[in-house]
Amino acid sequence: MALKHICTKPSPPSMTLPSPPSSSSPFPSMVVIPQSSSTSTPSALLLPKASHSLHPFTHTDRKDHFIDAIKASLSDCLSETHLDSTVPSLRSKARGKVRDVYDSGDHLILVTTDRQSAFDRVLASIPFKGQVLNETSLWWFSKTQHIISNAVVSSPDKNVTIAKKCSVYPVEFVVRGYVTGSTNTSLWTIYEKGIRNYCGNALPDGMVKNQKLPENILTPTTKAADHDVPITPKEIIQQGLMSEADYNEASKAALKLFEFGQRIALEHGLILVDTKYEFGKASDGSVLLIDEVHTPDSSRYWIAHSYEECFRNGFEPENIDKEFLRLWFKDHCNPYQDKVLPDPPEELVSELAWRYILLYETITNEKFIPPSTKEPVHDRISRNVSSALKSLT
C-alpha cells in the first residue's frame, strides 16, 4: 500500500520532484499522483498499480532491482536469534523490540533483527530491515563523533554492532521539529487534546497537524511497564534517572544531533521530522550515544519538495518511514488493545522493506548490498561474531 491520505479533501495536483542532489544517485525524477482516500474496499489494503503510486521515489530501476529479492525473503527474515546457544563466550541475552543484546563480558553484542515494532509491540518482520538499520546507524555514528562520542567498537556482520558496555540511562530523548504523529504519545495527539505544556515545553495555540514548530523541542520519555511515558527534565532529575550534569550534556547533544541530521537530510531532499536518541554512561564517566541514530525506525522523514504544497492543501506529507504501516494497523485493528493483530499484506511489507533500503541509499549516497551468499543468516552471524570476539580477547 502506497502512502494513503487520511484526509478527505480533494487531492492536490500532481507534483514532480527533482532527483536527489548526488550525480551518482540511482533515483530519477518521479511524478506524484494522488491516491483516493477510500478504504471501503479490500483493494485499499494493497499497493496500487505502479502508475498510481503516491510516493515520489517508489518506482525506480533500483526498486525493480530489489523487489524480487525482498519478496523471496519474506519467509526468511531474521525474527529471532539464539547466539547464546551458538557462540560459547556469550553469557546472556536481552530481547528488545528490534535488537537482541548479548553480553560477552567486556562488550555488548547488538544484533539488529528484522522485527518491526510500533505501538509498543512487534507488528511484523521486514526483509533486510535489520541490515538497513545497523548500517544506517553506523553511518550516522561515524558522522556525528564531532558532536558526541559513541559506544561503537566494531561491526563484524551486516546485522551486528559490538559496543562498549555502559550504564544506560532509562530515558529516551525524543526531539521534534513538527506537530505530527498518530500514536498516543505523538505530539499531534497531545496537542489535539488541548495540552499546551508538554515535557516542559510551552506550545503555542493555533497550530495544525504537520506544522513546523517555532523551534525544535525535546520531549523525553521513560519506561513504565511496556510503554513510553512522557517526563519533564525536572522529573528526570528529581527521580534520580540522571544527574543534572548528565542530563544537560545529553539534552544539548540530542538537540545538536537533530539539527545536524536535519541539515544532512535536507541536502538529500528529505525533512527529518522527529527522532529519538539514547545515551549511556561509560566506565570513565563520559556520556556516550548508543542504540541507533536517525534510522527509519527511530525517525520520521518527509519528502522536502512536496511538504509545503501538501501542508497547504491539508494532506499528510509524503513520507519515507514506517508511518504508513502504523496507519494501516490503526485502520484495521486496535494496536494498543487487541491481543492478536492482523497480518499486514505482503505487498505492504515489501513496500516498507524497499523504503528502508531507499532511505539508506538516499541519505548515505551508498548502494545497499544485500547478503551475497545462501548461508543461513543466523549461521553467518554466529560465525562472524565468534571470529570478532576472538580478535578482541
Side-chain angles (χ1 to χ4, degrees):
M1 183 180 70
L3 178 65
K4 176 176 69 65
H5 286 317
I6 61 172
C7 59
T8 57
K9 295 182 180 180
S11 299
S14 299
M15 296 167 277
T16 302
L17 284 88
S19 300
S22 169
S23 60
S24 61
S25 170
F27 311 120
S29 300
M30 302 301 292
V31 176
V32 179
I33 302 177
Q35 176 187 344
S36 167
S37 63
S38 172
T39 57
S40 60
T41 62
S43 62
L45 304 182
L46 302 178
L47 287 163
K49 300 296 184 182
S51 61
H52 295 89
S53 170
L54 255 181
H55 201 282
F57 296 137
T58 293
H59 298 285
T60 70
D61 291 341
R62 287 297 284 168
K63 180 174 183 179
D64 293 339
H65 174 77
F66 280 112
I67 200 64
D68 288 342
I70 290 171
K71 290 183 176 180
S73 299
L74 285 169
S75 61
D76 192 31
C77 292
L78 182 64
S79 300
E80 298 291 340
T81 68
H82 307 284
L83 298 190
D84 48 339
S85 299
T86 58
V87 180
S89 58
L90 296 186
R91 300 178 181 178
S92 62
K93 170 186 174 181
R95 186 183 188 274
K97 294 172 188 171
V98 175
R99 287 169 184 79
D100 291 342
V101 182
Y102 297 88
D103 188 341
S104 72
D106 296 326
H107 301 89
L108 294 179
I109 314 302
L110 288 75
V111 184
T112 309
T113 72
D114 297 329
R115 297 192 295 264
Q116 181 66 57
S117 71
F119 307 107
D120 294 311
R121 64 194 299 179
V122 174
L123 302 178
S125 291
I126 310 298
F128 306 133
K129 180 198 161 183
Q131 179 182 341
V132 170
L133 293 191
N134 192 55
E135 293 183 346
T136 299
S137 283
L138 289 170
W139 189 87
W140 281 108
F141 276 128
S142 71
K143 300 296 183 182
T144 56
Q145 294 183 78
H146 66 289
I147 298 174
I148 187 170
S149 299
N150 59 68
V152 175
V153 173
S154 65
S155 177
D157 184 273
K158 295 176 182 293
N159 289 67
V160 178
T161 293
I162 297 180
K164 300 174 185 176
K165 275 189 170 181
C166 60
S167 177
V168 179
Y169 299 112
V171 176
E172 290 189 349
F173 287 73
V174 182
V175 186
R176 307 176 189 271
Y178 294 75
V179 182
T180 192
S182 60
T183 65
N184 287 350
T185 57
S186 73
L187 190 56
W188 173 246
T189 302
I190 299 299
Y191 191 87
E192 196 175 26
K193 293 177 180 178
I195 297 173
R196 294 295 180 268
N197 194 304
Y198 186 55
C199 299
N201 300 284
L203 303 174
D205 289 325
M207 298 196 74
V208 297
K209 189 179 184 187
N210 302 324
Q211 185 174 351
K212 183 175 175 61
L213 289 160
E215 61 182 5
N216 296 330
I217 63 172
L218 182 61
T219 59
T221 64
T222 188
K223 290 291 182 183
D226 59 352
H227 63 281
D228 297 330
V229 178
I231 190 170
T232 67
K234 184 177 180 180
E235 290 169 335
I236 290 172
I237 296 167
Q238 287 179 339
Q239 294 178 23
L241 303 180
M242 300 180 72
S243 70
E244 184 173 1
D246 288 351
Y247 174 80
N248 288 339
E249 182 176 351
S251 61
K252 289 178 182 177
L255 289 168
K256 288 181 180 178
L257 288 165
F258 190 66
E259 291 170 2
F260 179 76
Q262 285 184 312
R263 178 167 63 81
I264 297 299
L266 195 58
E267 289 174 0
H268 295 82
L270 300 172
I271 296 172
L272 178 59
V273 179
D274 50 43
T275 193
K276 74 170 182 70
Y277 306 103
E278 294 189 44
F279 299 92
K281 193 164 190 173
S283 57
D284 63 1
S286 61
V287 177
L288 301 177
L289 179 63
I290 64 171
D291 195 46
E292 61 183 325
V293 186
H294 300 160
T295 71
D297 252 23
S298 65
S299 313
R300 196 187 316 268
Y301 285 94
W302 292 339
I303 305 301
H305 185 78
S306 62
Y307 164 72
E308 290 292 345
E309 187 160 358
C310 287
F311 178 71
R312 286 196 306 269
N313 286 279
F315 289 96
E316 289 297 299
E318 310 287 29
N319 70 45
I320 190 171
D321 51 47
K322 64 181 181 181
E323 179 66 10
F324 77 105
L325 183 70
R326 291 190 190 104
L327 294 175
W328 186 90
F329 275 95
K330 287 197 75 173
D331 283 347
H332 296 89
C333 64
N334 185 330
Y336 286 107
Q337 296 181 7
D338 292 353
K339 291 184 178 180
V340 179
L341 300 182
D343 292 329
E346 287 188 357
E347 290 187 63
L348 185 148
V349 172
S350 297
E351 175 71 12
L352 185 57
W354 159 241
R355 291 190 187 194
Y356 274 48
I357 293 171
L358 174 64
L359 181 63
Y360 170 80
E361 294 194 337
T362 301
I363 289 290
T364 67
N365 277 332
E366 298 174 4
K367 288 187 176 182
F368 177 77
I369 302 174
S372 58
T373 68
K374 297 298 183 182
E375 181 181 13
V377 62
H378 198 280
D379 291 351
R380 185 200 76 211
I381 291 173
S382 297
R383 174 173 53 80
N384 288 336
V385 169
S386 294
S387 177
L389 291 177
K390 289 178 182 178
S391 67
L392 289 174
T393 57

